[in-house]
Amino acid sequence: MKSTHLSLIAGAAALAAITGFASLTAPQGPATTEAKAAASLPVERSSLVCPAPSTSDLAETRYTSFTPPGKDSGKGAEGEEGTAELKPALPVLDEDDPDPKKAEEAAKKAREKADKPVLAVKEPGKPVTAEADGSAAPALVGTATGTLAPGWAAQQTTTVTAGGARGLLGVSCTAPDTDFWFPGVSTARSRQDYVHLTNPDDSAAVADIELFGPKGPVTSEVGDGITVPGRSSVALLLSTLTDEAVNDLTAHITTRSGRIGAVVLTADDGSGTDWLTAAADPAGTLIMPGIPADATSVQLVAYAPGESDADVKVQLMGKNTTFAPAGNDTLHIKSGMTATVDLKDITRGEPGSLRLTPVEKNRATPIVAALRVVRGTGEKQEYAYIPATGPVGGRSTVTDNRAKGSTLSLAAPGADAEVKVTTSAGSDGGEAAVETYKVKAGTTMAVTPKPPAGLKGSYALTVETVSGGPVHASRSLVLPEDGVQMFTVQTLPDDGGTVLVPSAQQDLSVLDD
C-alpha cells in the first residue's frame, strides 16, 4: 500500500509539472487557446564597464551615473529597490614581476579597494558623481538591479590641458558584448591608439583582434587569444600588433569565450585625443548624427565585412533638407577593405548628420562606418568621433551635461518624428524639466537643452520617441580651454531598458491523445 501510494503521488506530481509548464497550443481540439502577444517588461539586471580614463598625470576625470525614472522604474520581480554600483576593476598581475610576494600584497589591497563602489545610484532620477585625478584612476565594472537597472547609464569625462594627450575625452560606459567594430583606428606613427578590453565577470575572457586596411587584412601574429582576467581590464597599443603603419584601419574584436566591454583611446600628435566607441552592427543603411556646425574637417571611414563590394549614397541631413556633398555623392567600398573619404567642411556652418544608403535598394550590402570630426585649425584643433548608431527607440540617456556646452542633435532619416527630452535634476540640486521636439524627415535639429531650474552639478538627458519615424541622436559636450574648443560626442542608441517576455498559459489540450 505504501509503495502504491508513493507511485500515485509521483504520477500526480509529474502531471502537475506537465500542466504547469505547458504553454503551446495543440494543433486541433476544442481546448485550443490563442497565445497572447509578448509583453515589454523592464529589465531587472544590467551591466556596464568603463575603461581606465587616461595615462596622463594631468588628467582630471568626472564620473557620472544615472537611472531614468518612469514606468519602467517599478520594483523588481521580488519587490526589491535594487542597487547600481560601479567599482574599480582588479589590476592584472605581472607574471614576470621580480618580487611576486610584494605584487600579491598590492593585489590584495586592490581587491579590498575594489569592494568599495566609486559610484552608487540611490534612486532613479538623480545623477551621482565622483572625481579622480591623474593616471592612476582604474577601469570600472558594475551591475544594476531592481528599480535601478532599466536605462542605467554612466559616463566618464576626462580633461587633459597640456601635453601630447591634450584634449577632452568622453565615453559612455558600455554594456559588455562579444562582437565589436571600430572603423577609424590607426597604426600610423603619428597616432597612439590603445584598445581597452574590460571584463565584468569573474571568469576570464579570451578575445581576438583583426585589422583591415585599404588593401585588406593587416598581418598580425599577436592579436589572437588575448586573455582578459575576471573583473579586470587590459589596454593594448594597436601599433604593437603589426609591423605595418597604416593611417586608416577597421578593427574587429570578438571573444572566443566570455564577454567584454571594448573601446579605443586615440591620440594624434598635435590634433587632440578622444575615445572611439564601437559602431553599430553591419547594415545596409547607416546614420551618424550630430556633426557640429563649425566642423573644419570631416573624414568618413567605412568597411564592408561581407563577400560583396558595397556602393553607397553619401548624404548630409542638414538643418532644412538632405543633400549630397559635391564630388562625394557615392562611395565604393571593396569587400574586406577599409575605404576613406575626406568630406572637408561639409556642414558649412549648419549642424548635420551623415546618412549612408545603398545605391541600388535591392543590393543592400552591410557595412560599418564612423566619422572623425575636427574643430579648429593648427594648434587650436581638436577632434572627436561619431560612429554609426542605432535609433533612440523607446528611450536613451546620456549623463554629465553641464550648465553650458551641451548640444543635443536629433536626426530623422525617414519620416517626421516627435521626441520627448527630459533634463534630470542636477547631481547637487535642481528640478527636472521636459520639452518636446518635432523633427522633419531628412533633417537634423540641434538644440541646446535648457538646464534644470536651480541646477547644481551636472544633469542627465533622456530622449524618448513619442511618434513618427526613427530618430538618431547624439550629444556634444564642449569645454573650451586656452582658446581650444575641446569637445567630445556621445551617441544615444536605445538603452535596452525593456525586454520582450513571451506570455505563457496553461493548455491541458497538450495531454490529449
Side-chain angles (χ1 to χ4, degrees):
M1 290 291 293
K2 184 175 182 181
S3 175
T4 303
H5 181 66
L6 291 176
S7 298
L8 289 173
I9 293 176
L15 180 60
I18 294 172
T19 57
F21 286 96
S23 61
L24 299 175
T25 57
Q28 59 184 6
T32 300
T33 58
E34 294 184 0
K36 295 181 180 179
S40 180
L41 300 177
V43 298
E44 296 179 3
R45 184 180 180 87
S46 57
S47 298
L48 291 176
V49 296
C50 316
S54 176
T55 57
S56 172
D57 292 334
L58 301 177
E60 298 179 357
T61 299
R62 175 188 290 184
Y63 300 101
T64 310
S65 184
F66 174 81
T67 295
K71 62 182 180 181
D72 295 335
S73 295
K75 295 184 182 296
E78 299 179 1
E80 297 179 355
E81 292 289 346
T83 59
E85 298 179 338
L86 283 165
K87 299 179 179 181
L90 297 173
V92 178
L93 293 178
D94 183 359
E95 296 180 356
D96 298 325
D97 195 305
D99 191 347
K101 185 176 181 181
K102 184 177 180 180
E104 180 58 35
E105 290 177 355
K108 182 179 179 181
K109 292 181 180 179
R111 285 193 292 269
E112 293 174 352
K113 187 177 181 180
D115 289 334
K116 299 178 181 179
V118 174
L119 287 171
V121 178
K122 300 297 184 182
E123 58 181 306
K126 183 177 180 180
V128 296
T129 63
E131 296 183 351
D133 294 334
S135 59
L140 303 179
V141 298
T143 301
T145 61
T147 68
L148 299 175
W152 182 42
Q155 158 114 2
Q156 63 181 39
T157 308
T158 302
T159 303
V160 181
T161 57
R166 182 270 298 156
L168 179 65
L169 304 90
V171 62
S172 295
C173 300
T174 58
D177 206 339
T178 59
D179 196 324
F180 307 86
W181 291 97
F182 295 95
V185 299
S186 176
T187 57
R189 291 181 175 83
S190 63
R191 288 274 291 269
Q192 296 284 307
D193 287 16
Y194 285 86
V195 57
H196 287 244
L197 308 177
T198 306
N199 179 2
D201 301 318
D202 293 331
S203 57
V206 179
D208 296 328
I209 302 177
E210 297 176 286
L211 300 176
F212 303 91
K215 298 180 180 180
V218 174
T219 303
S220 174
E221 297 180 356
V222 292
D224 294 339
I226 300 167
T227 299
V228 186
R231 296 189 61 80
S232 298
S233 185
V234 298
L236 301 169
L237 180 61
L238 282 181
S239 60
T240 64
L241 302 184
T242 178
D243 293 330
E244 299 183 43
V246 185
N247 283 326
D248 299 300
L249 293 166
T250 297
H252 186 207
I253 301 176
T254 56
T255 62
R256 300 183 189 182
S257 62
R259 56 179 191 157
I260 57 173
V263 289
V264 178
L265 176 60
T266 77
D268 193 327
D269 293 343
S271 297
T273 181
D274 208 349
W275 292 98
L276 170 60
T277 56
D281 291 339
T285 297
L286 297 177
I287 309 296
M288 287 149 275
I291 306 172
D294 61 351
T296 53
S297 174
V298 177
Q299 183 186 55
L300 168 64
V301 182
Y303 173 77
E307 297 181 355
S308 302
D309 294 355
D311 288 290
V312 297
K313 295 179 182 178
V314 180
Q315 297 175 305
L316 183 78
M317 294 184 290
K319 182 178 180 180
N320 298 307
T321 188
T322 296
F323 62 91
N328 291 306
D329 54 337
T330 62
L331 176 65
H332 180 71
I333 311 166
K334 293 184 179 180
S335 171
M337 302 181 186
T338 297
T340 62
V341 57
D342 185 3
L343 300 174
K344 301 180 181 179
D345 57 341
I346 185 175
T347 57
R348 298 188 180 277
E350 291 187 358
S353 302
L354 203 71
R355 178 173 67 185
L356 303 180
T357 57
V359 171
E360 299 181 28
K361 292 183 179 180
N362 60 343
R363 293 187 62 184
T365 302
I367 60 173
V368 293
L371 298 177
R372 184 176 187 266
V373 179
V374 178
R375 302 177 69 190
T377 59
E379 296 181 354
K380 301 296 185 181
Q381 66 179 295
E382 161 77 319
Y383 71 85
Y385 291 94
I386 306 176
T389 185
V392 168
R395 181 184 62 191
S396 185
T397 295
V398 62
T399 65
D400 197 13
N401 297 279
R402 316 289 176 93
K404 296 181 179 180
S406 294
T407 300
L408 177 65
S409 295
L410 305 168
D416 292 353
E418 184 175 355
V419 298
K420 181 175 74 172
V421 178
T422 303
T423 54
S424 76
S427 55
D428 298 316
E431 298 181 1
V434 176
E435 293 186 344
T436 301
Y437 298 97
K438 294 182 178 180
V439 190
K440 290 177 57 179
T443 68
T444 299
M445 174 183 288
V447 299
T448 300
K450 184 178 180 180
L455 172 66
K456 293 182 180 179
S458 60
Y459 65 94
L461 275 175
T462 298
V463 183
E464 299 172 82
T465 304
V466 176
S467 62
V471 173
H472 299 249
S474 69
R475 186 282 312 269
S476 175
L477 178 64
V478 181
L479 299 178
E481 182 72 29
D482 294 332
V484 179
Q485 293 295 306
M486 298 199 305
F487 77 113
T488 183
V489 180
Q490 281 71 55
T491 57
L492 283 82
D494 189 288
D495 62 21
T498 60
V499 63
L500 290 177
V501 179
S503 177
Q505 63 185 26
Q506 291 185 4
D507 183 4
L508 299 181
S509 65
V510 299
L511 301 179
D512 293 342
D513 292 332

